[in-house]
Amino acid sequence: MAQKQFREVIREAIREEMERDENVFIMGEEVAEYNGAYKATQGLLDQFGDKRVLDTPISELGFAGLGVGAAMNGLRPIVEFMTFNFALVGVDQIINNAAKIRYMSGGQVKIPIVFRGPNASAGQLGATHSTSFESFYAHFPGLITIHPSEPYDAKGLLKAAIRDDNPVIFLESEQMYGWKQEVPDEEYLLPIGKAKVKREGKDVTVVADGKMYHVAKKAAEELAKDGVEVELIDPRTIKPFDMKTVIESVKKTNRCVVVDESHPFGGVAAEVGFQIQRDAFDYLDAPVQRVTIPDVPAPFSRKLFDAWIPGPKQVIDAVNTVTYRK
Amino acid sequence: MSNTDKASITSRTASITKATDLPKPTRKTHKGLNISEEQLLELYESMYLQRRFEERSMQMYQKGKFGGFLHLYIGQEAVSTGSGFALNQDDDFITAYRDHGHGLVKGITPNEAMAELFGKKDGCSRGKGGSMHYFKPEKHFWGGHGIVGAHLPLAAGIAFANKYQENDRVTICFFGDGAVDQGALNESFNLAQLWKLPVIYVVENNGYSMGTAVHRHSAGKLADRAYPYGMKYDVVNGMDLFSVIDKVSEVAERVRETKEPYFLEVVTYRYRGHSMSDPANYRTKEELEEYKKIDPIERLKTYILDKKLASEKDLEAINEKVEEVVLEAVEFAENSDFPDEKELYQDVYADDDFPYLT
Ligand SMILES: Cc1ncc(C[n+]2csc(CCOP(=O)(O)OP(=O)(O)O)c2C)c(N)n1
Ligand SMILES: [Mg+2]
């Protein structure tokens, strides 16, 4: 096992799948000659040539749709968005075409495509560059949405995504590309739709995805010093969402906080909270709490940004609320 | 046979070709363009201010005074300056994220501009927009826009409103060569021509869309995109201030009169990387040097000195003044406060008491 960066495992997953299957190709802005805006695709052009590693114009609608067409006709495209903020320009192709054509064709057309790239905020980039899309994409039937927080999960899930016959939204993070974790050298895949209990605890269940997993982890470490044992669940896949693991945990802890980088209205946290009250109501000792970004766009100013992005403190406060400690 | 030869879809040109070709500059003199000697010095000052403002911004960024993206306009100042001069003060400007030059030309003060970079409350967007999202509508500056191509339809709308209100204003919309590949351009062009909107679309072709040279991202000639819509278009030298003034004046007059759009390809060059994190390895030093030889500011300076319209000393005095203005802007930005935390919830909706969810 070796320590590997998030960007390295993304690259490895793509490389291994391209070596395995000739029909896999990758395209996006600056993925080839520039080696990727965030260097996730470094070296792929040299290895596979420009038939399979393609620089696109800034035409998200065009190349997202081209990818869908290619997938309909037998290929397995990986479409890199420089960030998912820019995918909004092409979102008609993802929601109306990628997500719905299988259904509208009565199942005759399959669309094995992966749309991947960085999601959510990455510091002070202003409102247009800081949106978190996990709740948005998970809203639409027909799409799989994956939001890993660590390199090990990212690699296994990306490989599974590339082999999956559904359109997959695979959300990464600019800020996490350099983060490292022990990752096996031998090949492995992980199942889509399976959460992982990453820390066991008896006092409170905390569910946190993507970058927010790390925020929740810090909070859990702080709380442990205070004698509060958090059971920390990383859903890894947003859709399908592994509610079974969450419900089992809540039945044990009787309390839950959901942490997510979406806005609150109709977000992942809202959905998870709803399902817990429906399926584990009798087990709850306190109303489920959530920690999300506020109901406002991302501000630029450092001071406002720090107030906007959730940190361990908000998670600790929410845990204190559900445990009636404060 | 290499992979590349076999089935190349995106053409990789082996040799580095020049990113863009410059059209010939105008031969008109300042007199021929109706520029007074006083105005000439003001134009020099404006270009030099944009340059020094950005050089200082870069320094402040490197010192860690502020974060986010910083895209520098250095090298392209003749475009913003010439356009500002050719148009009326109440004509409307809108541009992409490389917006410091345009903002300063339209009347964002250096203090407000620097404070915005620092995320301070006295910034032109009150610290909420940052480098990419400058705004000053009272001066007809409609932003700084971070999504490539997204502001092209807005320009059509601003022009639509001007025509609707019969106010005779012209809108000018700047964007990079990369934006030409966006669907938004085609839809905006069609609407603007179909509805005869008084808007000048200006592509600042600086040779690259991030690391991708123009010929690798765009089919055909950029200016020709206007052709299928029956929109008038032309190509102009953007390293030469007089050429920009000459062309934009002519175009503005026509657009104001006919209320029809116009597409101008201005060929220019950016000296710095795409943003602060880009080492610009995709181009040669020689190419950069070649453009620096025809630097728009140096060019104007040489013209002024050759024609003896001012002395070296006069220009030096302007430079010193600009230097002071910029240093003062830095100090202003440093001393300005961060916005109050309650500002987070202000300006999202028109209502002060909007019921936010938590
Ligand atoms: C829709 C969209 N896609 C991608 C990006 C990321 N991006 C920002 S600037 C840029 C290159 C644009 O180049 P160009 O239009 O030539 O303008 P220049 O930077 O040269 O001024 C890219 C790819 C974006 N901001 N918006
Ligand atoms: Mg460009």
Side-chain angles (χ1 to χ4, degrees), chain A residues 61-127:
Chain A
L61 177 106
F63 66 79
L66 187 151
V68 176
M72 290 163 66
N73 196 21
L75 302 185
R76 307 187 79 88
I78 303 170
V79 173
E80 172 172 312
F81 291 119
M82 193 175 280
T83 83
F84 266 90
N85 295 287
F86 313 142
L88 282 177
V89 171
V91 90
D92 176 53
Q93 292 299 324
I94 302 174
I95 306 297
N96 270 328
N97 286 344
K100 296 176 183 166
I101 284 180
R102 170 190 291 272
Y103 187 73
M104 291 190 296
S105 67
Q108 298 174 84
V109 180
K110 75 171 183 190
I111 303 173
I113 187 168
V114 176
F115 297 102
R116 52 156 287 273
N119 176 52
S121 69
Q124 290 176 269
L125 299 183

Side-chain angles (χ1 to χ4, degrees), chain A residues 30 33-34 45 50 55 57-60 82 89 124-125 128-129 265 290 294-296 299-301 303-304, chain B residues 8 10 12 68 116 119 127-128 130 132-133 146 181-182 209-212 216-217 278 338-340 345 357-358:
Chain A
E30 311 290 349
E33 294 200 11
Y34 199 80
L45 174 66
D50 64 0
D55 277 325
I58 315 178
S59 303
E60 287 82 1
M82 193 175 280
V89 171
Q124 290 176 269
L125 299 183
T128 56
H129 284 55
F265 197 107
R290 66 179 167 194
D295 212 3
V296 306
F300 167 75
S301 179
K303 181 170 165 204
L304 296 183
Chain B
S8 176
T10 57
R12 290 179 83 190
E116 189 59 36
K128 283 185 167 161
M132 298 192 286
H133 309 113
D181 308 326
Q182 280 284 332
S209 163
M210 239 176 114
T212 309
R216 288 184 58 238
H217 74 67
D278 171 25
F338 281 111
D340 201 83
Y345 285 88
L357 276 187
T358 53

